[in-house]
PDB file of all heavy atoms in Angstrom:
ATOM      1  N   GLN A 228     -50.952   2.583 -36.631  1.00  0.00           N
ATOM      2  CA  GLN A 228     -49.497   2.724 -36.617  1.00  0.00           C
ATOM      3  C   GLN A 228     -48.904   2.183 -35.315  1.00  0.00           C
ATOM      4  O   GLN A 228     -47.871   1.519 -35.302  1.00  0.00           O
ATOM      5  CB  GLN A 228     -49.126   4.194 -36.816  1.00  0.00           C
ATOM      6  CG  GLN A 228     -47.649   4.442 -37.050  1.00  0.00           C
ATOM      7  CD  GLN A 228     -47.370   5.921 -37.249  1.00  0.00           C
ATOM      8  OE1 GLN A 228     -47.906   6.772 -36.524  1.00  0.00           O
ATOM      9  NE2 GLN A 228     -46.544   6.232 -38.241  1.00  0.00           N
ATOM     10  N   LYS A 229     -49.570   2.422 -34.213  1.00  0.00           N
ATOM     11  CA  LYS A 229     -49.117   1.940 -32.917  1.00  0.00           C
ATOM     12  C   LYS A 229     -49.150   0.412 -32.858  1.00  0.00           C
ATOM     13  O   LYS A 229     -48.231  -0.232 -32.343  1.00  0.00           O
ATOM     14  CB  LYS A 229     -49.977   2.541 -31.807  1.00  0.00           C
ATOM     15  CG  LYS A 229     -49.541   2.142 -30.402  1.00  0.00           C
ATOM     16  CD  LYS A 229     -50.411   2.814 -29.343  1.00  0.00           C
ATOM     17  CE  LYS A 229     -49.984   2.388 -27.942  1.00  0.00           C
ATOM     18  NZ  LYS A 229     -50.854   3.026 -26.898  1.00  0.00           N
ATOM     19  N   ALA A 230     -50.240  -0.179 -33.412  1.00  0.00           N
ATOM     20  CA  ALA A 230     -50.360  -1.639 -33.419  1.00  0.00           C
ATOM     21  C   ALA A 230     -49.281  -2.276 -34.291  1.00  0.00           C
ATOM     22  O   ALA A 230     -48.701  -3.316 -33.948  1.00  0.00           O
ATOM     23  CB  ALA A 230     -51.749  -2.032 -33.895  1.00  0.00           C
ATOM     24  N   ASP A 231     -48.994  -1.655 -35.461  1.00  0.00           N
ATOM     25  CA  ASP A 231     -47.962  -2.171 -36.353  1.00  0.00           C
ATOM     26  C   ASP A 231     -46.584  -2.127 -35.671  1.00  0.00           C
ATOM     27  O   ASP A 231     -45.775  -3.055 -35.802  1.00  0.00           O
ATOM     28  CB  ASP A 231     -47.909  -1.359 -37.646  1.00  0.00           C
ATOM     29  CG  ASP A 231     -49.118  -1.619 -38.534  1.00  0.00           C
ATOM     30  OD1 ASP A 231     -49.815  -2.629 -38.297  1.00  0.00           O
ATOM     31  OD2 ASP A 231     -49.364  -0.811 -39.453  1.00  0.00           O
ATOM     32  N   LYS A 232     -46.319  -1.071 -34.966  1.00  0.00           N
ATOM     33  CA  LYS A 232     -45.045  -0.923 -34.270  1.00  0.00           C
ATOM     34  C   LYS A 232     -44.885  -2.003 -33.211  1.00  0.00           C
ATOM     35  O   LYS A 232     -43.808  -2.588 -33.050  1.00  0.00           O
ATOM     36  CB  LYS A 232     -44.969   0.470 -33.634  1.00  0.00           C
ATOM     37  CG  LYS A 232     -43.656   0.737 -32.909  1.00  0.00           C
ATOM     38  CD  LYS A 232     -43.648   2.149 -32.302  1.00  0.00           C
ATOM     39  CE  LYS A 232     -42.352   2.390 -31.551  1.00  0.00           C
ATOM     40  NZ  LYS A 232     -42.354   3.736 -30.910  1.00  0.00           N
ATOM     41  N   LYS A 233     -45.982  -2.309 -32.507  1.00  0.00           N
ATOM     42  CA  LYS A 233     -45.927  -3.331 -31.464  1.00  0.00           C
ATOM     43  C   LYS A 233     -45.648  -4.704 -32.065  1.00  0.00           C
ATOM     44  O   LYS A 233     -44.869  -5.483 -31.522  1.00  0.00           O
ATOM     45  CB  LYS A 233     -47.238  -3.333 -30.681  1.00  0.00           C
ATOM     46  CG  LYS A 233     -47.238  -4.290 -29.501  1.00  0.00           C
ATOM     47  CD  LYS A 233     -48.537  -4.163 -28.703  1.00  0.00           C
ATOM     48  CE  LYS A 233     -48.497  -5.105 -27.502  1.00  0.00           C
ATOM     49  NZ  LYS A 233     -49.740  -5.009 -26.701  1.00  0.00           N
ATOM     50  N   ARG A 234     -46.289  -5.011 -33.230  1.00  0.00           N
ATOM     51  CA  ARG A 234     -46.064  -6.303 -33.882  1.00  0.00           C
ATOM     52  C   ARG A 234     -44.609  -6.431 -34.357  1.00  0.00           C
ATOM     53  O   ARG A 234     -43.982  -7.483 -34.227  1.00  0.00           O
ATOM     54  CB  ARG A 234     -47.018  -6.461 -35.066  1.00  0.00           C
ATOM     55  CG  ARG A 234     -48.416  -6.903 -34.683  1.00  0.00           C
ATOM     56  CD  ARG A 234     -49.207  -7.358 -35.896  1.00  0.00           C
ATOM     57  NE  ARG A 234     -49.361  -6.302 -36.886  1.00  0.00           N
ATOM     58  CZ  ARG A 234     -50.361  -5.442 -36.877  1.00  0.00           C
ATOM     59  NH1 ARG A 234     -51.301  -5.511 -35.941  1.00  0.00           N
ATOM     60  NH2 ARG A 234     -50.442  -4.497 -37.807  1.00  0.00           N
ATOM     61  N   THR A 235     -44.081  -5.347 -34.894  1.00  0.00           N
ATOM     62  CA  THR A 235     -42.680  -5.346 -35.356  1.00  0.00           C
ATOM     63  C   THR A 235     -41.717  -5.616 -34.201  1.00  0.00           C
ATOM     64  O   THR A 235     -40.759  -6.381 -34.318  1.00  0.00           O
ATOM     65  CB  THR A 235     -42.334  -4.009 -36.015  1.00  0.00           C
ATOM     66  OG1 THR A 235     -43.215  -3.794 -37.118  1.00  0.00           O
ATOM     67  CG2 THR A 235     -40.888  -3.997 -36.500  1.00  0.00           C
ATOM     68  N   GLU A 236     -41.964  -4.971 -33.067  1.00  0.00           N
ATOM     69  CA  GLU A 236     -41.112  -5.175 -31.898  1.00  0.00           C
ATOM     70  C   GLU A 236     -41.168  -6.610 -31.404  1.00  0.00           C
ATOM     71  O   GLU A 236     -40.155  -7.182 -30.985  1.00  0.00           O
ATOM     72  CB  GLU A 236     -41.515  -4.199 -30.788  1.00  0.00           C
ATOM     73  CG  GLU A 236     -41.162  -2.751 -31.081  1.00  0.00           C
ATOM     74  CD  GLU A 236     -41.674  -1.801 -30.007  1.00  0.00           C
ATOM     75  OE1 GLU A 236     -42.492  -2.258 -29.151  1.00  0.00           O
ATOM     76  OE2 GLU A 236     -41.281  -0.626 -30.018  1.00  0.00           O
ATOM     77  N   GLU A 237     -42.370  -7.227 -31.480  1.00  0.00           N
ATOM     78  CA  GLU A 237     -42.509  -8.617 -31.051  1.00  0.00           C
ATOM     79  C   GLU A 237     -41.716  -9.545 -31.971  1.00  0.00           C
ATOM     80  O   GLU A 237     -41.088 -10.509 -31.522  1.00  0.00           O
ATOM     81  CB  GLU A 237     -43.988  -9.017 -31.045  1.00  0.00           C
ATOM     82  CG  GLU A 237     -44.823  -8.332 -29.970  1.00  0.00           C
ATOM     83  CD  GLU A 237     -44.387  -8.700 -28.570  1.00  0.00           C
ATOM     84  OE1 GLU A 237     -43.919  -9.847 -28.379  1.00  0.00           O
ATOM     85  OE2 GLU A 237     -44.493  -7.843 -27.676  1.00  0.00           O
ATOM     86  N   GLU A 238     -41.767  -9.270 -33.298  1.00  0.00           N
ATOM     87  CA  GLU A 238     -41.006 -10.077 -34.247  1.00  0.00           C
ATOM     88  C   GLU A 238     -39.499  -9.934 -34.002  1.00  0.00           C
ATOM     89  O   GLU A 238     -38.736 -10.898 -34.076  1.00  0.00           O
ATOM     90  CB  GLU A 238     -41.337  -9.656 -35.680  1.00  0.00           C
ATOM     91  CG  GLU A 238     -42.714 -10.073 -36.157  1.00  0.00           C
ATOM     92  CD  GLU A 238     -42.875 -11.587 -36.218  1.00  0.00           C
ATOM     93  OE1 GLU A 238     -41.903 -12.273 -36.598  1.00  0.00           O
ATOM     94  OE2 GLU A 238     -43.963 -12.082 -35.867  1.00  0.00           O
TER      95      GLU A 238
END
Side-chain angles (χ1 to χ4, degrees):
Q228 190 179 43
K229 183 178 179 181
D231 289 344
K232 181 180 178 182
K233 185 176 182 180
R234 279 194 300 271
T235 301
E236 290 176 349
E237 291 296 328
E238 288 296 322

